[in-house]
Amino acid sequence: VFIPLAILGIQWQHDRSQSQQLVQQQIEKAVSEAQMQEQSKRLATQAQFLAMLMHEVKTPLSIIQFAVASMLRNRPPSSADAQRLDNIARAADDLNFIIDQCMEAEKVEQSDVPAKKAPVSLSSLISEMKQIPGYERVTLIGFDRIMVLTARIILSNLVTNALKYSWPESSVQLTVEPVHLGSTSGMNLRVSNTIGSAGRPDPLQVFTRYYRAEGAKKQMGAGLGLWLAHQLATKLGTELRCTCDDEWVHFEFTLERS
């Protein structure tokens, strides 16, 4: 009599324990899902706020840039007023550039869609780089009249970074070399600059979002340019690489020829 009762008691205790564990798991799952939904809503609200804020900041920045440009036309280039206005213009340009990078970073982070691989001539890409302040320091080595898959933002960010952190007046080299990519051909693009006052970047961290070398923090920046370039290179199916020697920093990636 007692043995069957004991067995039934043990079975009931086992079933009760399993039932409690199942209820606990369901509660933990519900709490986890609620937290994820709350975090998603919070991130969406934050992204919407930042997009609105960046858009609103760009409007007064544009007014400042137009006003400074207008005032500079009526000042001798060597005057003290012209130098002060030029400093204001550069500061506004720096802020505008950081805002553009933040907006591009937000677009990349919110989209899982691979980048469109549209063909473009390398010469047109290079000509667009002429709008970057200090472009006259860039030296092209290799080919320019070929068609490659588009990489505007990657190349622009690499050239801007090289001009910003190299020694003033030093040369920045843009080297284009043919390479074999299995059954297809491609071009390797390398941007090289001398190691400036910011020092040598850490190749293991240089593509980390918001990373800036200690010496680089003396200049305005958000640490997004190289991260953004790396993300876009990955979406194009290529890899952005960083190497350093005693005097130079090299960033390079490979694109298919179109």
Side-chain angles (χ1 to χ4, degrees):
V1 174
F2 293 107
I3 291 176
L5 288 176
I7 293 174
L8 287 174
I10 293 172
Q11 184 65 41
W12 175 81
Q13 185 67 28
H14 180 266
D15 292 343
R16 184 169 178 270
S17 176
Q18 281 191 327
S19 178
Q20 289 177 339
Q21 289 179 0
L22 181 60
V23 170
Q24 183 64 30
Q25 289 174 356
Q26 291 174 341
I27 293 173
E28 291 176 354
K29 182 180 179 182
V31 171
S32 178
E33 289 177 351
Q35 289 176 341
M36 290 180 64
Q37 290 178 357
E38 182 64 27
Q39 185 178 9
S40 297
K41 290 180 182 179
R42 187 165 58 251
L43 290 175
T45 302
Q46 182 180 356
Q48 186 178 10
F49 170 74
L50 288 175
M52 178 275 296
L53 181 63
M54 287 185 286
H55 179 269
E56 292 301 320
V57 170
K58 284 181 73 70
T59 301
L61 271 178
S62 299
I63 296 174
I64 292 172
Q65 289 172 315
F66 281 123
V68 169
S70 177
M71 295 172 70
L72 277 171
R73 285 196 293 267
N74 302 320
R75 302 286 196 288
S78 59
S79 67
D81 285 344
Q83 293 177 4
R84 284 192 288 268
L85 289 170
D86 191 54
N87 290 336
I88 294 172
R90 282 201 301 270
D93 288 341
D94 288 341
L95 286 172
N96 207 38
F97 180 72
I98 290 176
I99 291 172
D100 287 340
Q101 283 195 328
C102 290
M103 295 176 71
E104 287 294 336
E106 186 66 23
K107 290 179 183 177
V108 169
E109 193 168 51
Q110 295 297 324
S111 174
D112 293 329
V113 180
K116 294 182 179 180
K117 298 182 178 182
V120 63
S121 67
L122 188 56
S123 58
S124 69
L125 284 180
I126 294 172
S127 66
E128 291 178 10
M129 301 301 105
K130 294 179 181 178
Q131 301 176 2
I132 300 175
Y135 174 81
E136 62 277 1
R137 292 166 49 200
V138 178
T139 302
L140 174 64
I141 302 173
F143 305 88
D144 64 343
R145 299 187 181 279
I146 56 173
M147 298 291 288
V148 295
L149 297 179
T150 182
R152 283 183 173 87
I153 298 177
I154 300 175
L155 200 57
S156 174
N157 284 359
L158 292 182
V159 171
T160 300
N161 185 78
L163 291 170
K164 186 175 182 178
Y165 294 112
S166 59
W167 288 111
E169 311 303 326
S170 64
S171 174
V172 170
Q173 297 179 355
L174 171 56
T175 306
V176 184
E177 299 172 327
V179 293
H180 293 290
L181 300 173
S183 59
T184 61
S185 60
M187 303 300 294
N188 193 71
L189 286 77
R190 182 170 64 252
V191 177
S192 306
N193 64 273
T194 56
I195 299 174
S197 59
R200 184 182 289 101
D202 184 350
L204 299 178
Q205 299 188 63
V206 72
F207 299 124
T208 303
R209 190 171 187 171
Y210 304 128
Y211 166 77
R212 304 187 73 203
E214 199 60 37
K217 295 177 181 178
K218 299 175 183 178
Q219 301 189 48
M220 181 175 288
L224 286 173
L226 294 176
W227 173 85
L228 181 59
H230 183 265
Q231 295 295 313
L232 292 173
T234 301
K235 285 180 175 289
L236 281 173
T238 184
E239 179 187 12
L240 186 57
R241 303 174 295 277
C242 172
T243 56
C244 304
D245 54 36
D246 292 338
E247 297 182 8
W248 292 80
V249 180
H250 310 277
F251 290 94
E252 59 184 318
F253 61 103
T254 303
L255 292 176
E256 295 179 19
R257 289 190 62 174
S258 175

